[in-house]
Amino acid sequence: MEIHIFNTFIHPQASQQVNKVLDSTFISEGKLVKEFETRLSGTFGLPYPVALNSGTSALHLALELAGIGENDEVILPAQTFVATGLTILQVKAVPVFADVDYQTGNISIDSLKSKITPRTKAIMPVHWGGYPCDMDEIAAIAAAHGLIIIEDAAHALGATYKNKPIGSLSEYTCFSFQAIKHLTTGDGGAISFKKSEDSTRAMTRRWFGIDRQNSALSILGERQYDIKQLGFKYHMNDYAAALGIANMEGFSERLSMRRHIAKYYFDNLGNIPGLQLFSYKKDRESAFWLFGLHVEKREDFIRAMKEKGIVTSVIHQRIDGNSVFGGLKDLPVQEKFDNTQIHIPIHDGMDIDKAEYVVNSIKQGW
Ligand SMILES: *Cc1c(COP(=O)(O)O)cnc(C)c1O
């Protein structure tokens, strides 16, 4: 048996739907992007989603829209992908790395509090592996200090916190539709806004800062516009949207299967010496983009799994050590997390038989 750590889910109907767009030759942003946004709203409970060309564009545009700039401090966890930190640098702000919770990989509330200074402007929590952060606590801290929350929900499409969808909690929530994420458009992303005015601002700034709704073509053959604020080329295009729409079909069944597999792992890996499962609170539901845990003798574990044909991975190690971020910070729990964290397969190419094979392989030891 061969079980990879990720798969790319492409719906069997997708090529037909994408081909229709190609045949039409209307491949840039058009009615399918609009339809994709409408469906994001309906399927995932996102109040005002705006589709973009990547999750990284979503994070960058959210920071721009939030007015984060030079010398502002933005607090983020070190346990994430580099995109989260790089976008903070792109707006010339200062990434301030907080420690994580050993049990989840999510930002530690105590550490977050300790990193606040008069220059702090925003918090970027990351729902590691799709497991929602302590959003009530984060919202209370943000309210007390006048901070903006920009969620990096690249792993968390379909997750819920106290019965509310991730994407409906904060002013800005950023999603990714990159190839190995839950829902792919090839590359793509979205920001979910709570206020419709913010989504309108985003639609202008995702396309050079040109207000398409209010800039008609003149006799000269170009739209008449005045760019008032710096814009970007961040819009999604229609063939990506067609792929996304096709891939949405059956999403909730696939998410249920992930949760079913996760439950199987929790039920069967609880009492294994040298292995500690992540903790899981009942007031939230993970999207299970990943299934993480801690193991002793990690390299032996990775090799033993590899011999059984099972790929395991740390996915990402702490990002603060990159030179661009100024090198490793003093984050004791992150350090401990980094030494033992590992992820076992959970994705749309899995079923319970495969999960059973993973469990049995682990039970044989390493
Ligand atoms: C995938 C990912 C991103 C970036 O998304 P892209 O669509 O690849 O630009 C950002 N943050 C995290 C945590 C991710 O996993």
Side-chain angles (χ1 to χ4, degrees):
M1 180 116 58
E2 285 249 328
I3 307 181
H4 290 281
I5 188 79
F6 291 125
N7 89 324
T8 294
F9 177 82
I10 306 282
H11 195 280
Q13 300 297 313
S15 57
Q16 200 187 336
Q17 294 192 34
V18 175
N19 265 325
K20 245 172 40 194
V21 180
L22 297 180
D23 289 344
S24 79
T25 75
F26 290 97
I27 60 173
S28 194
E29 191 211 321
K31 63 180 197 307
L32 289 177
V33 171
K34 190 92 245 145
E35 187 182 333
F36 181 64
E37 290 169 338
T38 305
R39 292 202 188 194
L40 279 177
S41 206
T43 309
F44 301 104
L46 312 185
Y48 297 100
V50 172
L52 303 169
N53 61 358
S54 78
T56 308
S57 301
L59 292 166
H60 179 227
L61 185 57
L63 284 160
E64 285 279 349
L65 290 164
I68 309 298
E70 203 148 359
N71 296 323
D72 292 340
E73 292 180 355
V74 180
I75 303 174
L76 76 163
Q79 184 61 39
T80 183
F81 179 53
V82 291
T84 325
L86 290 176
T87 54
I88 297 170
L89 293 179
Q90 284 168 12
V91 298
K92 299 191 164 51
V94 182
V96 175
F97 291 97
D99 214 338
V100 293
D101 175 355
Y102 184 75
Q103 308 288 340
T104 63
N106 283 345
I107 194 163
S108 145
I109 298 302
D110 286 340
S111 176
L112 164 59
K113 282 186 193 155
S114 76
K115 301 290 175 189
I116 293 171
T117 75
R119 281 163 59 192
T120 308
K121 288 284 154 55
I123 309 168
M124 280 181 132
V126 178
H127 307 295
W128 181 254
Y131 179 73
C133 296
D134 296 325
M135 292 311 297
D136 279 352
E137 288 81 352
I138 293 170
I141 294 167
H145 297 270
L147 310 177
I148 296 161
I149 301 172
I150 299 173
E151 293 175 51
D152 182 339
H155 300 179
L157 186 69
T160 58
Y161 178 81
K162 301 191 176 171
N163 294 318
K164 292 193 208 108
I166 292 297
S168 69
L169 303 172
S170 308
E171 267 176 281
Y172 307 91
T173 306
C174 301
F175 294 97
S176 165
F177 309 122
Q178 189 263 342
I180 55 170
K181 299 285 160 65
H182 293 78
L183 177 73
T184 188
T185 59
D187 265 310
I191 308 175
S192 173
F193 296 94
K194 265 170 76 162
K195 292 188 280 199
S196 76
E197 312 90 86
D198 287 336
S199 70
T200 309
R201 289 197 297 141
M203 283 183 192
T204 300
R205 295 188 71 189
R206 76 176 167 189
W207 200 63
F208 307 106
I210 299 172
D211 180 359
R212 278 173 63 155
Q213 308 308 324
N214 298 300
S215 57
L217 276 180
S218 82
I219 183 74
L220 299 176
E222 195 186 9
R223 289 173 188 276
Q224 298 301 295
Y225 53 78
D226 174 39
I227 295 175
K228 297 187 181 71
Q229 261 189 314
L230 182 63
F232 306 93
K233 183 164 161 93
Y234 281 175
H235 63 275
M236 181 175 276
N237 63 51
D238 263 22
Y239 66 90
L243 179 54
I245 292 165
N247 284 341
M248 268 187 208
E249 192 69 40
F251 184 95
S252 80
E253 287 77 12
R254 293 192 297 278
L255 183 58
S256 298
M257 178 50 90
R258 281 178 192 254
R259 288 181 173 148
H260 191 48
I261 290 167
K263 186 174 183 304
Y264 183 83
Y265 283 157
F266 275 113
D267 289 347
N268 290 282
L269 295 173
N271 292 309
I272 295 179
L275 185 153
Q276 190 191 339
L277 293 168
F278 283 5
S279 71
Y280 196 91
K281 289 190 183 143
K282 293 221 153 37
D283 63 355
R284 61 200 78 177
E285 274 200 283
S286 178
F288 289 110
W289 185 59
L290 301 173
F291 192 93
L293 44 89
H294 292 287
V295 284
E296 289 167 15
K297 298 188 284 157
R298 183 169 61 184
E299 291 190 9
D300 292 343
F301 179 88
I302 293 170
R303 276 189 218 103
M305 293 302 110
K306 203 169 168 190
E307 272 171 30
K308 310 269 184 209
I310 300 165
V311 181
T312 59
S313 169
V314 297
I315 312 294
H316 298 307
Q317 292 170 292
R318 61 190 295 181
I319 68 165
D320 56 321
N322 286 281
S323 303
V324 75
F325 300 125
L328 286 182
K329 310 295 180 290
D330 181 24
L331 302 172
V333 183
Q334 175 70 66
E335 191 177 331
K336 195 171 153 234
F337 183 90
D338 241 34
N339 287 335
T340 53
Q341 64 106 335
I342 193 75
H343 296 80
I344 60 176
I346 189 164
H347 51 68
D348 296 329
M350 295 277 299
D351 52 27
I352 285 294
D353 287 350
K354 288 183 179 165
E356 199 180 323
Y357 179 75
V358 172
V359 165
N360 290 337
S361 301
I362 292 173
K363 283 185 170 163
Q364 284 168 36
W366 61 95

